[in-house]
Amino acid sequence: MKKKLFTLTLCIIMVVAIAVPAFAAEESESTTAVGRIAFPENYISKSSSLRVPLKIKVKGTSEYLNVYTSGSFGDGKSISTWSWTADSTQKFIVYRGSDSITSIRMHDDIMYGLATSSGNCIVRYLPNVGNVSDVTITNIHNQWIGATYGWAFDLQSGGSLTATNTPTQVAGGYKVAWQNYTGSNRQVWNVDPF
C-alpha cells in the first residue's frame, strides 16, 4: 500500500511540475504588463529593427488616429482622427525600449512619437522633448465595450488619449487631446495590425 501511495504521489508531482511551466510560458508570450494591465505582447515593438505596424482607431467608429497633415509627419504636427487612408501618417507602433519606457511612436521613423503640448496631442521629435513624462505611457486600460476589448492609453504627465468632438479645420476629422480619463467611448481605441 505504501508503494502505491508513493507512486501515485510521485505521478501527481510530475504532472504538476510539467504543466505549470507550460501554462506560465503561454501567458508571458501572449501579454505583457504596462502599468496595471496586460497588453498583447506581440503588439509591442522592442527594437528599431523589429517594428510591429499598428492602426489605431476610435472604438466603434471609422475614425483612425492620424497625423493632421497633407504629406509627411514632422515635429509639432497635430494628431487627429481621419477616415482610413493607409498612409504612413496612420501607421504607429507601441514601443518599449531597453529603458522600459513605453510610448506610441511613428512606424516609419521611431524618433517621432505622440506627446502632449498644453493638453493637445502632437507629434514630437523625441530628442527635442524636454520632459520624458510628456511621451511616456504609464497605463493601458483594457476596456470591454460591446462585444470586444478596446484600449485606453494614459500619459505619465496626465490625461488619456482622447478623440475630441472638436472638428479639424478640414472637414472630416476630429482633434485628439490628452484629457482626464472618464471611460468615454472616445477614449477607447481598437489596436490592430496595419
Side-chain angles (χ1 to χ4, degrees), residues 29-56:
E29 288 172 6
S30 62
T31 59
T32 187
V34 178
R36 297 172 289 177
I37 63 88
F39 187 72
E41 183 75 27
N42 58 334
Y43 282 10
I44 295 182
S45 300
K46 296 178 185 161
S47 75
S48 60
S49 61
L50 298 172
R51 290 181 257 177
V52 180
L54 301 170
K55 55 186 175 182
I56 303 172

Side-chain angles (χ1 to χ4, degrees), residues 147-164:
T148 59
Y149 276 103
W151 304 95
F153 299 92
D154 290 346
L155 197 62
Q156 185 174 9
S157 61
S160 285
L161 190 63
T162 306
T164 70

